[in-house]
Amino acid sequence: MTVLGPLGPSLAPAIRKNRTLYQWLRPVADWYANAAGHRKVGLKYDDLLVEERPDVERALERLTPRQQYDRAFRFKRASQCSVLHDVLPKDQWIKPEEDVRYLKPHVQAVEQEDLERSAWDNLAVERRK
């Protein structure tokens, strides 16, 4: 279970509920996402998750074959951009509406299963008297 990180605690739900705060922070968030540069090389946000984490490894196994293929393609294309020290043409950048969290639901399900498993593993069984 992670405490901090891309899947850890987030202020986003509270910010989305407050309309004024949301309108004020939305341009900053958009600027930050563009400045990160992952969309310019064809990666989605969930492609940036550390694959060595056990929960992410198990979540990756749950992707459909199409999602696995698309993920591998995005990595190959980003690697090529890295080798060339260049970004993709602007028409091939990932648009903000295409940058959906495809892996997050799987990781959350894995974390929920881990919590449930730990709750059942620590179950104290008492003998009847």
Side-chain angles (χ1 to χ4, degrees), residues 18-85:
N18 186 333
R19 181 179 288 177
T20 305
L21 189 58
Y22 180 76
Q23 289 176 348
W24 186 74
L25 287 178
R26 182 63 188 200
V28 176
D30 290 340
W31 171 84
Y32 180 77
N34 289 331
H38 63 277
R39 293 179 182 160
K40 294 177 183 178
V41 292
L43 293 175
K44 293 185 177 184
Y45 182 76
D46 278 353
D47 294 334
L48 305 177
L49 294 178
V50 179
E51 294 182 16
E52 287 80 18
R53 288 183 17 208
D55 53 348
V56 176
E57 284 181 7
R58 290 187 13 228
L60 287 172
E61 295 170 359
R62 298 178 181 197
L63 293 177
T64 64
R66 178 63 186 191
Q67 288 174 325
Q68 291 174 353
Y69 174 82
D70 289 344
R71 180 179 169 88
F73 177 78
R74 287 192 299 270
F75 277 119
K76 287 180 183 179
R77 190 168 55 174
S79 296
Q80 181 67 19
C81 289
S82 176
V83 168
L84 297 176
H85 299 286

